[in-house]
């Protein structure tokens, strides 16, 4: 396989990580550090890698920064680039930061860029972000697909090393539903770098793969444990493929609900803290061994192994077996100290000292064995409380977590030879603790001298452990240094919190399908395509698409809305009202239930009649409104606002179940059963008459606020005589599948009557001219019925209804804001909705605000509705609508601008 | 995402449920004193520990039911 | 009488997918009479209502799904009339849309956005429940080991269908 790194071509073997391939090609310089731009190679061979962050470019939008070279699998033709360097990795001008290091202590930013305050956002932050940084974010929309899946299992095993495989095999043999995931491309963990284990590994895996109850997920990181054993897994499906099938998602989020979780996450080796410990060629001992044995990529020819435990001997043995010359094994337990290293882009010498005797050893590889840190991240996320194991020099699981166990190395179960306390530190010079965030031992000591005591504060001040690797290789060393500087023990210093995700997870994985057209449901009515064909401009109302207006050639919105309004006033208009909520309230106690839910009295509403209903919250404030028709003594057809449909049904159901379970009444949402077409205007009856199969819809038989069940061209119909426009109006309800046909039939008739379509904008203007409120526009959750002029609707004789008691609480009467109309001197001036209103321009005390404002298409002047303190006492008064830089004088009027007697409704 | 034990449907994912606030509030009659009605509207317990609360399996069987939850551990108490 | 135009009409014109296909298929259920029942009832149209939570009863061409205490959904042939009864009987034939998800790994496809455990042991043939699919509420009924009937509110049908198609892409559905 061929790939390029920073434009240079290289060869790779199947199964290589990018880091392994580069090392086999003799490339050790892979990145520049975050703050000082120091040349860096790999430190590790797995997910804990802090240094070797690269960008993989598949062209166009498919460029991904900040990937760990130790995790990225090479595919044929891969284009990889280094990051955080200008112009090249070898010659990076940012490296000047390294020379300035004495002037860049922890807290440097906080101490230096204090003044002037405005310069932070404009100058300092952009400069710092450019100089100190990770990769370049992609600047095109992501073209890949991401998917998600819920899964359930008896046992989820996290980590497919020896302990995890054993657990999975045992659970599978017991007939359980097992899921096994591992972040690597292959199952096996440490067994993969042990040739002697290959046969047994193959046998175990074959049995698991053959088991239909076992789900095997490689390239899958368990990144978080959430409530009740829900585990988040991020599966990388196609990133390793040269030419992925576009049908496949790039990544998949698994939300796994596991009855039991087995964490077999292994352990991470610790680096040693000595001067110059960050040069390319200096890496963890286990990483050196993995590159040499598993990938056949010797990370050097001439190695020095520095060790604080017996791991060093094993590493030296395995490296030697792979053909690496072992120049020296330096065992820190024998009194040695590392004094420094040299080599600009790769280590060339290491200096040691014992008892005053100094020595420089030439080498091109330094393997550091600082002991092992169990990966307790997931255990800790599951709220397990670890304890410090001094012999291991690390925290291990302690308290029990229900239905979760840790096994193998992550439980601290390691051979004695691999156990080491925290290694001694040589903090002179530049001894790095957190490689990704460039935090040195001296920085940590300085922070303690400046007064930071808690490890949480030291972490935030120095940024140790705060990089994208979340301190996987640095936390324990940092704790040791802070504890040493403060003369305290590590348990006293405490442990920083482990948070999700374990390793970075892409936004694509978390978003999954929820993007583009699938981000939210887009709800359309049965007549939507007809509105589209009629040239409608749509607006979003919740998740609905509603036709806002229907412009004709060269019309702007204002002109179209004015025409639609005149059409309704002069002849007839039709409007899609399907999105309104509809609830069928049925049962012997339906009227009693309605009495308790709405402020109105329903007992004496005759079948076939409608009433405008108002619903309050228990706090006495208007929650919803709508027309209610009584179809039969035990059956009401209730309408709600579009936005309130779900909320109103839920509130009603709450009272039905929990407050009044004795009532024989049931609720059925029929919002989507009916297509609703409003036909409004003086010629509405004329337009409908030929369509309603002989039904008598004369004013005498079907007056304003009545309802009848009949047929519409043979289709089942509920016909309401209602008006939200102020004109004679009908609302035709037909079963939704027939909405399309009914719309076409009415459209032809309306056209014959010089009418046409109108949208939500004209609907708003028409209702505002009549002073009809819209809940949520005139009201804001603090308006009583009286505030908005609806006190007349209250059934005064009723013993109780939702919110009744609140209406007599103190503060619910007296000088409250009330609904009024506003007129401007200039009839063309349209006020701004939301504008504040004061008594005079000298007085800034707000009296209220404009709630609705329109050009007023048919009354000859602009109109506005407002909620104003004691508004009804101010009729005729002049107030000021305060706008930026000016005020507009307005006269307070009654809120009804058109046909105040309502004569047109009864036509 | 928690599992919530619906008394009818068994344990189901939290996204199927709606929270209903503190359980056991008794809606006073309309003759209630100002203080009693005010408490019903606005006074809620906020214990560190066991809290009796209402849930509705709104995307399931639709029923309201009561559970006791430990606000410290976020676990339901049988 | 004018023609009815169900939602997802374009889908209705597609032929059902091959039963033997390894790809889970998504097809539109035929038009049907849907009746929402509430109350203390025992029978609908002579068919005993299922009393066991989360289970459906099937009688000839009529299925009655238990949805909650004293709540059922009747799925009957479109030509059937609504039969009155005690409690609340409401015709909701046009309120929702039926989709059939069938074939190998149908449950895996549903689990793209449905949090239920759809293993045959956990959700056997005849099981039914309201649940969620992405941001939509659905009613799910397992008619057969590899055949699910999904009911979704009409205006959410386009969303649910598009999400199913998107999730089915990786199984090879075109």
């Amino acid at each position: 396989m061929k790939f390029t790194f920073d434009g240079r071509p290289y060869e790779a073997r199947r199964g290589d990580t990018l880091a392994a391939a580069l090392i086999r090609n003799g490339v050790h310089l892979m990145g520049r550090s975050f703050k000082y731009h120091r040349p860096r190679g790999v430190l590790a061979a797995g997910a804990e890698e802090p240094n070797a962050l690269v960008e993989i470019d598949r062209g166009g939008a498919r460029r991904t920064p900040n990937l760990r070279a130790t995790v990225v699998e090479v595919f044929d033709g891969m284009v990889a680039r280094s990051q955080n360097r200008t112009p090249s990795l070898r010659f990076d001008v940012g490296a000047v930061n390294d020379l300035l290091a004495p002037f860049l202590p922890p807290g440097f930013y906080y101490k230096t860029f204090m003044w002037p305050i405005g310069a932070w956002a404009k100058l300092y932050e952009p400069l710092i972000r450019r100089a100190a940084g990770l990769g370049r974010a992609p600047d095109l929309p992501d073209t890949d697909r991401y998917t998600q899946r819920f899964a359930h299992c008896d046992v989820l095993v996290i980590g497919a090393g020896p302990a995890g495989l054993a657990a999975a095999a045992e659970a599978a043999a017991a007939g359980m539903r097992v899921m096994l995931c591992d972040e690597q491309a292959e199952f096996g963990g440490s067994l993969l770098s042990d040739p002697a284990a290959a046969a047994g590994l193959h046998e175990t895996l074959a049995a698991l793969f053959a088991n239909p109850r076992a789900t095997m997920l490689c390239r899958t990181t368990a990144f978080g444990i959430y409530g009740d054993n829900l585990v988040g897994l991020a599966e990388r499906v196609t990133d390793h493929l040269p030419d992925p099938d576009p049908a496949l998602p790039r990544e998949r989020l698994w939300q796994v609900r596991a009855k039991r979780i087995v964490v077999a996450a292994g352990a991470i080796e610790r680096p040693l803290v000595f001067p110059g410990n960050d040069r390319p060629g200096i890496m963890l001992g286990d990483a050196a061994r993995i590159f040499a044995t598993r990938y056949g990529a010797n990370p050097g020819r001439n190695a020095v192994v520095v060790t604080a435990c017996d791991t060093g001997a094993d590493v030296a043995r395995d490296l030697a077996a792979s053909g690496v010359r072992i120049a020296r094994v330096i065992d820190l337990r024998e009194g040695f100290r590392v004094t420094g290293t040299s080599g600009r882009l790769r280590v060339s010498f290491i200096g040691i000292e014992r008892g005053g005797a100094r020595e420089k050893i030439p080498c091109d590889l330094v393997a550091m064995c600082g002991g092992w840190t169990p990966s307790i991240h997931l255990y800790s996320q599951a709220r397990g409380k670890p304890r410090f194991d001094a012999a291991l020099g690390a925290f291990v699981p302690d308290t029990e977590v229900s239905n979760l166990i840790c096994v193998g190395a992550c439980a601290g179960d390691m051979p004695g030879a691999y156990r080491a306390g925290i290694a001694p530190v040589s903090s002179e010079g530049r001894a790095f603790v957190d490689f990704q965030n460039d935090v040195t031992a001296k920085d940590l000591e300085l922070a303690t001298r400046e007064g930071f005591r808690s490890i949480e504060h030291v972490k935030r001040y120095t940024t140790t452990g705060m990089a994208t690797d979340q301190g996987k290789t640095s936390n324990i060393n940092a704790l040791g240094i802070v504890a040493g500087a403060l003369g305290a023990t590590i348990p006293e210093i405490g442990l920083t919190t482990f948070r999700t995700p374990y390793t970075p997870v892409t936004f694509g994985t978390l978003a999954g399908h929820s993007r583009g057209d699938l981000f939210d449901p887009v709800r359309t009515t049965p007549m939507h395509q007809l509105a589209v064909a009629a040239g409608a401009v749509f607006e979003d109302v919740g998740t609905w698409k509603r036709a806002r207006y229907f412009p004709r050639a060269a019309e702007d919105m204002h002109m179209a809305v004015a025409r639609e309004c005149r059409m309704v006033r002069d002849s007839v208009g039709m409007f899609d009202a399907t999105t309104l909520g509809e609830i069928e309230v049925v049962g012997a106690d339906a009227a009693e239930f309605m009495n308790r839910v709405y402020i109105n009295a329903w007992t004496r509403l005759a079948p076939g009649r409608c009433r405008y209903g108002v619903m309050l919250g228990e706090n006495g404030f208007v929650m919803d409104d709508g027309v209610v028709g009584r179809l039969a003594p035990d059956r009401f057809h209730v309408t709600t606002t579009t936005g309130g449909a779900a909320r109103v049904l839920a509130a009603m159901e709450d009272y039905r179940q929990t407050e009044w379970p004795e009532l024989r009444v049931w609720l059925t949402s029929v919002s989507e059963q009916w297509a609703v077409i409003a036909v409004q205007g003086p010629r509405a009856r004329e337009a409908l008459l030929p369509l309603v199969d002989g039904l008598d819809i004369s004013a005498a038989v079907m007056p304003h606020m009545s309802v009848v069940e009949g047929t519409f061209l043979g289709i089942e119909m509920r016909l309401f005589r209602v008006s939200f426009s102020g004109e004679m109006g009908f609302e035709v309800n037909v079963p939704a599948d027939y909405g399309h046909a009914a719309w076409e039939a009415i459209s032809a008739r309306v056209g014959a009557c010089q009418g046409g379509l109108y949208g939500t904008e004209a609907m708003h203007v028409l209702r505002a001219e009549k002073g009809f409120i819209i809940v949520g526009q005139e009201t804001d959750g603090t308006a009583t019925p009286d505030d908005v002029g609806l006190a007349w609707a209250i059934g005064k004789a009723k013993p109780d209804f939702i919110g009744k008691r609140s209406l007599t609480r103190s503060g619910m009467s007296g000088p409250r804001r009330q609904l009024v109309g506003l007129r401007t001197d200039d009839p063309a001036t349209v006020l701004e909705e939301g504008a504040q209103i004061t008594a005079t321009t000298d007085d800034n005390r707000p009296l209220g605000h404009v709630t609705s404002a329109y050009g007023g298409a048919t009354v000859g002047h602009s109109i506005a509705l407002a909620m104003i303190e004691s508004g009804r006492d101010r009729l005729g008064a002049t107030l000021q609508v305060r706008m930026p830089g000016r005020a507009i004088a307005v006269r307070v009027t009654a809120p009804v601008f058109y046909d105040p007697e309502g004569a047109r409704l009864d036509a | 995402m928690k599992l919530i034990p619906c008394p009818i449907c068994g344990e189901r994912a939290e996204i199927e449920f709606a929270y209903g606030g503190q359980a056991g509030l008794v809606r006073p009659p309309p003759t209630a004193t100002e203080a009693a009605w005010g408490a019903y509207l606005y006074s809620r317990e906020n214990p560190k520990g066991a809290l009796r609360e209402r849930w509705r399996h709104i995307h399931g069987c639709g029923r309201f039911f009561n559970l006791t939850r430990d606000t410290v551990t976020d676990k339901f108490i049988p | 009488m004018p023609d009815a135009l169900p939602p997802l009409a374009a889908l209705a014109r597609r032929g059902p997918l091959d039963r033997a296909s390894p790809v889970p298929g998504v097809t539109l259920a035929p038009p049907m009479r849907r009746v929402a029942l509430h109350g203390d009832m025992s029978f609908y149209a002579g068919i005993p209502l299922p009393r066991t939570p989360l289970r459906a009863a099937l009688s000839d061409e009529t299925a009655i799904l238990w949805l909650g205490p004293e709540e059922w959904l009747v799925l009957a042939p479109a030509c059937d009339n609504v039969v009155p009864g005690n409690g609340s009987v409401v015709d909701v034939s046009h309120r929702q849309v039926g989709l059939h998800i069938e074939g190998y790994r149908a449950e895996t496809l549903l689990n793209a956005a449905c949090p239920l455990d759809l293993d045959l042991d956990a959700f056997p043939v005849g099981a039914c429940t309201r649940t969620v699919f992405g941001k939509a509420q659905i009613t799910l009924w397992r008619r057969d080991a590899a055949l699910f009937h999904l009911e979704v509110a009409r205006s959410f049908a386009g969303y649910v269908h598009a999400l199913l198609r998107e999730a089915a892409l990786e199984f090879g559905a075109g």
Side-chain angles (χ1 to χ4, degrees):
Chain A
M1 296 193 297
K2 295 185 192 309
F3 70 101
T4 67
F5 181 62
D6 283 343
R8 292 194 55 176
Y10 298 100
E11 295 267 344
R13 291 183 194 162
R14 194 155 302 283
D16 271 353
T17 62
L18 178 61
L22 287 172
I23 286 172
R24 194 180 308 101
N25 283 281
V27 178
H28 286 264
L29 175 63
M30 296 188 202
R32 288 276 175 171
S33 71
F34 183 77
K35 184 173 170 186
Y36 299 129
H37 290 243
R38 286 171 67 91
R40 293 275 166 82
V42 290
L43 178 71
E48 69 272 29
E49 171 60 30
N51 287 336
L53 299 184
V54 297
E55 170 181 289
I56 304 300
D57 192 348
R58 287 175 178 265
R62 307 182 71 212
R63 177 167 65 73
T64 311
N66 305 331
L67 296 172
R68 289 148 291 164
T70 54
V71 171
V72 169
E73 293 172 62
V74 180
F75 55 81
D76 194 36
M78 172 185 266
V79 176
R81 276 186 219 107
S82 59
Q83 304 183 158
N84 199 30
R85 80 294 188 267
T86 308
S88 77
L89 203 49
R90 292 178 71 84
F91 304 100
D92 174 15
V93 296
V96 68
N97 280 9
D98 200 29
L99 303 176
L100 299 175
F103 310 104
L104 296 171
F108 167 72
Y109 302 140
Y110 310 130
K111 292 165 182 165
T112 309
F113 299 112
M114 295 283 289
W115 182 264
I117 197 84
W120 175 256
K122 290 199 186 74
L123 183 64
Y124 298 146
E125 189 179 349
L127 273 176
I128 292 166
R129 288 217 180 273
R130 199 152 33 146
L134 296 165
R136 297 176 298 150
D139 45 14
L140 293 170
D142 192 338
T143 52
D144 282 310
R145 298 175 47 254
Y146 299 83
T147 189
Q148 302 190 338
R149 191 175 294 170
F150 291 94
H152 299 76
C153 63
D154 297 314
V155 180
L156 169 66
V157 181
I158 299 165
L165 281 170
E170 191 178 323
M176 295 190 204
R177 267 200 289 175
V178 182
M179 293 181 74
L180 174 64
C181 69
D182 194 283
E183 63 188 357
Q184 296 201 42
E186 293 174 86
F187 297 100
S190 62
L191 300 174
L192 293 168
S193 41
D194 179 2
L201 174 60
H202 181 81
E203 194 179 319
T204 307
L205 288 176
L208 281 169
F209 274 102
N211 188 326
R213 304 269 287 169
T215 304
M216 306 286 285
L217 299 170
C218 61
R219 301 185 179 93
T220 302
T221 303
F223 63 81
I225 294 189
Y226 302 88
D228 293 328
N229 272 16
L230 184 79
V231 186
L233 311 181
E235 180 186 6
R236 295 170 296 282
V237 182
T238 61
D239 269 357
H240 63 292
L241 301 172
D243 190 16
D245 181 344
L248 290 179
R250 180 181 177 201
E251 296 178 7
R252 175 184 290 115
L253 174 73
W254 290 80
Q255 295 183 72
V256 180
R257 187 76 68 177
K259 291 200 177 75
R260 289 181 66 78
I261 299 169
V262 177
V263 181
I268 293 172
E269 198 172 20
R270 291 195 289 273
L272 294 164
V273 183
F274 56 77
N277 61 344
D278 66 328
R279 295 185 199 282
I282 304 177
M283 67 183 70
L284 297 171
D286 191 50
R289 168 163 63 181
I290 288 171
F291 288 125
T293 59
R294 176 171 163 191
Y295 296 104
N298 282 353
R301 292 200 180 91
N302 191 26
V304 170
V305 178
V306 188
T307 185
C309 61
D310 291 351
T311 310
D314 291 357
V315 167
R317 179 199 64 211
D318 290 350
L319 286 176
S322 299
V324 179
R325 177 179 175 270
I326 305 298
R328 186 83 69 87
V329 176
I330 297 157
D331 194 327
L332 300 178
R333 293 171 296 187
E334 294 167 2
F336 286 103
R337 188 171 66 87
V338 179
T339 56
T341 65
S342 54
R344 193 173 80 86
L345 299 178
R346 179 152 181 201
V347 66
S348 54
F349 283 95
I350 183 167
I352 57 169
E353 182 266 352
R354 179 165 70 169
R358 290 172 175 265
E359 189 181 350
K360 278 182 84 174
I361 310 167
C363 61
D364 62 358
L365 169 66
V366 174
M368 301 184 282
C369 305
W372 294 81
T373 305
S375 292
I376 58 169
H377 307 74
L378 295 172
Y379 164 80
S380 183
Q381 285 176 19
R383 302 193 181 181
K385 296 275 179 292
R387 68 179 166 81
F388 188 70
D389 179 337
L392 192 59
F395 286 88
V396 294
D398 188 26
T399 61
E400 269 194 38
V401 176
S402 61
N403 298 315
L404 178 145
I405 53 166
C406 298
V407 298
C410 75
D413 180 11
M414 269 177 272
Y418 279 56
R419 300 172 75 84
I422 298 176
V425 167
S426 312
S427 66
E428 71 266 33
R430 312 276 295 285
F432 286 88
V433 179
D434 182 318
F435 289 76
Q436 192 174 114
N437 266 358
D438 275 344
V439 181
T440 64
K442 272 186 179 166
D443 292 335
L444 294 167
E445 290 165 0
L446 177 65
T448 62
R449 284 203 302 280
E450 292 189 354
F452 293 95
R453 290 292 179 272
S454 155
I455 189 64
E456 295 284 359
H457 293 158
V458 172
K459 169 182 165 178
R460 281 156 184 77
Y461 188 59
T462 63
T463 74
T464 189
M466 288 175 68
T468 62
D469 65 329
Q470 288 286 287
K472 290 184 180 61
T473 54
S474 66
N475 277 345
I476 291 293
N477 284 336
L479 283 173
I481 290 164
V482 172
L486 295 174
T489 65
I490 284 184
E492 286 166 352
I493 300 292
L495 182 63
T496 56
T497 310
F498 292 98
R499 298 183 206 280
T500 63
Y502 173 68
T503 50
V505 178
T506 64
F507 285 119
T509 300
L510 298 176
H513 309 107
S514 298
R515 53 196 295 223
D517 290 346
L518 294 175
F519 176 71
D520 242 354
V522 177
R523 306 172 69 189
T524 58
T525 74
M527 291 81 85
H528 183 76
Q529 285 309 324
L530 293 170
V532 170
V537 174
F538 290 91
E539 67 170 337
D540 290 336
V541 179
T543 47
W544 286 101
K545 291 280 179 210
R546 298 196 73 182
R548 192 173 185 196
Y549 57 98
F550 296 87
R552 294 183 180 163
E555 275 185 346
D556 61 11
M557 178 171 117
H558 179 77
M559 292 159 68
V561 170
R563 173 181 51 74
E564 291 172 13
C565 288
R566 279 193 307 275
M567 176 184 76
V568 174
R569 295 269 184 253
D570 294 344
S571 57
V572 58
M574 58 187 288
F575 170 76
D576 185 351
T578 304
T579 62
L580 289 182
E582 291 166 287
I583 302 165
E584 209 153 305
V585 179
V586 180
D589 295 321
E592 175 59 22
F593 181 78
M594 292 296 293
N595 277 337
R596 297 185 191 187
V597 170
Y598 282 82
I599 68 174
N600 318 68
W602 301 96
T603 311
R604 286 195 290 186
L605 181 70
R609 297 292 153 171
C610 300
R611 183 163 287 167
Y612 169 70
V614 179
M615 186 180 185
L616 309 183
E618 285 289 18
N619 56 17
F621 299 129
V622 175
M623 176 176 163
D624 205 78
D625 67 351
V627 170
V628 178
R630 190 169 196 171
L631 300 171
D634 64 348
R635 190 174 292 249
F636 290 82
H637 181 120
V638 175
T639 65
T640 74
T641 57
T642 297
R647 183 172 64 238
V648 169
L649 181 62
M652 283 187 179
E653 187 62 29
D654 191 346
Y655 281 92
R656 194 191 74 83
Q657 283 189 33
T658 69
E659 289 293 342
W660 311 312
E662 73 283 3
L663 294 185
R664 290 187 54 80
V665 63
W666 298 277
L667 312 171
T668 305
S669 170
V670 289
S671 303
E672 305 239 25
Q673 166 71 11
W674 301 101
V676 184
I677 302 165
V679 184
Q680 307 269 308
R683 300 180 71 177
R685 183 182 295 115
E686 178 191 347
L688 279 181
L689 199 55
L691 304 174
V692 293
D693 300 346
L695 196 67
D696 187 347
I697 57 173
S698 66
V701 174
M702 217 184 158
H704 181 53
M705 296 305 262
S706 59
V707 57
V708 64
E709 293 181 270
T711 59
F712 178 104
L713 299 179
I715 308 163
E716 178 191 357
M717 169 183 71
R718 283 182 186 170
L719 182 64
F720 288 76
R721 172 90 196 268
V722 291
S723 174
F724 199 44
S725 64
E727 303 300 328
M728 178 216 295
F730 293 87
E731 285 184 5
V732 177
N733 285 236
V734 293
D737 282 2
Y738 294 105
H740 190 275
W743 181 270
E744 286 191 311
I746 295 172
S747 187
R749 283 297 306 151
V750 162
C753 297
Q754 279 79 51
L757 313 178
Y758 69 101
T760 52
E761 195 62 28
M763 177 269 283
H764 278 276
V765 177
L766 294 167
R767 67 88 201 173
E769 288 183 338
K770 280 291 290 179
F772 293 149
I773 65 160
I774 286 189
V775 172
Q777 184 152 347
E778 270 60 57
T779 71
D780 60 359
T782 67
T784 67
D786 183 58
D787 294 346
V788 286
L790 296 175
W792 58 266
I794 297 173
K796 309 255 181 335
K798 294 198 297 180
D800 196 6
F801 55 82
I802 296 172
K804 178 181 169 73
R805 176 63 185 83
S806 285
L807 295 179
T808 53
R809 295 191 82 214
S810 60
M812 296 296 271
S813 49
R816 295 182 55 82
R817 291 187 177 188
Q818 295 169 332
L819 179 71
V820 293
L822 299 178
R823 289 281 304 272
T824 53
D825 291 340
D826 175 0
T829 300
V830 179
L831 297 172
E832 214 163 286
E833 291 174 0
Q836 294 293 313
I837 298 165
T838 60
T840 66
T841 51
D842 301 326
D843 182 358
N844 285 334
R845 192 176 74 87
L847 295 176
H849 68 281
V850 178
T851 59
S852 294
Y854 305 99
T858 59
V859 292
H861 55 79
S862 68
I863 57 166
L865 300 174
M867 293 294 288
I868 291 182
E869 187 181 293
S870 301
R872 291 197 288 268
D873 296 338
R874 296 180 194 265
L875 294 180
T878 297
L879 301 175
Q880 300 292 329
V881 174
R882 307 296 290 272
M883 301 298 297
R886 68 187 179 121
I888 301 169
V890 292
R891 189 161 49 83
V892 180
T893 70
V896 185
F897 299 94
Y898 179 80
D899 186 28
E901 303 79 28
R904 299 179 69 88
L905 291 171
D906 293 322
Chain B
M1 180 169 62
K2 297 182 67 56
L3 283 175
I4 295 176
C6 170
I8 294 163
C9 303
E11 285 195 327
R12 298 276 282 261
E14 186 179 346
I15 49 175
E16 291 186 349
F17 294 82
Y19 186 62
Q22 181 183 324
L25 296 174
V26 177
R27 185 173 184 269
T31 53
T33 63
E34 182 100 350
W37 186 257
Y40 169 68
L41 287 182
Y42 300 118
S43 295
R44 296 293 181 271
E45 290 169 19
N46 185 23
K48 182 178 181 180
L51 174 67
R52 193 81 178 142
E53 58 194 14
R54 305 187 327 141
W55 288 86
R56 183 179 177 211
H57 195 189
I58 189 164
H59 301 301
C61 66
R63 297 303 293 187
F64 282 86
F65 56 93
N66 294 342
L67 286 175
T68 304
R69 186 173 55 96
D70 187 325
T71 60
V72 178
T73 62
D74 199 28
K75 300 277 185 205
F76 292 110
I77 302 166
Chain C
M1 189 162 145
D3 286 342
L5 184 65
L8 305 177
L11 176 67
R13 289 194 289 272
R14 298 167 65 103
L17 289 165
D18 180 4
R19 285 279 180 125
S21 163
V23 178
V26 180
T27 50
L28 192 63
M32 53 183 70
R33 179 69 67 190
R34 297 178 176 85
V35 186
L37 304 180
H38 290 86
D40 184 16
M41 306 166 75
S42 301
F43 295 89
Y44 175 81
I47 306 168
L49 301 177
R51 315 299 301 186
T52 310
L54 308 170
R55 289 295 178 273
L58 194 55
S59 171
D60 293 328
E61 292 300 295
T62 299
I64 303 182
L65 278 56
W66 181 100
L67 291 186
E70 299 200 339
E71 184 185 359
W72 297 267
L73 175 68
V74 180
L75 302 175
C79 55
D80 281 15
N81 288 322
V82 177
V83 182
N86 290 329
S88 166
V89 179
V90 177
D91 181 6
V92 292
S93 299
H94 296 242
R95 183 177 76 174
Q96 49 210 45
V97 175
L99 293 172
H100 288 164
I101 295 94
E102 66 182 307
Y104 174 68
R105 303 194 73 182
E107 65 274 16
T108 310
L109 174 59
L110 284 164
N111 275 141
C114 172
L116 286 183
D117 185 350
L118 297 176
D119 190 77
L120 259 178
D121 292 339
F123 198 78
V125 173
C128 63
T129 184
R130 266 187 295 246
T131 181
V132 294
F133 188 76
K135 295 177 182 174
Q137 176 177 286
I138 60 166
T139 298
L140 193 63
W141 166 39
R142 188 172 215 150
R143 287 187 58 168
D144 215 332
L147 171 58
F148 291 86
H149 182 110
L150 182 159
E151 288 278 315
V152 58
R154 179 182 192 97
S155 67
F156 286 88
Y159 165 80
V160 166
H161 180 250
L163 184 46
L164 281 166
R165 299 297 295 187
E166 166 71 17
L169 279 180
E170 66 171 299
F171 298 99

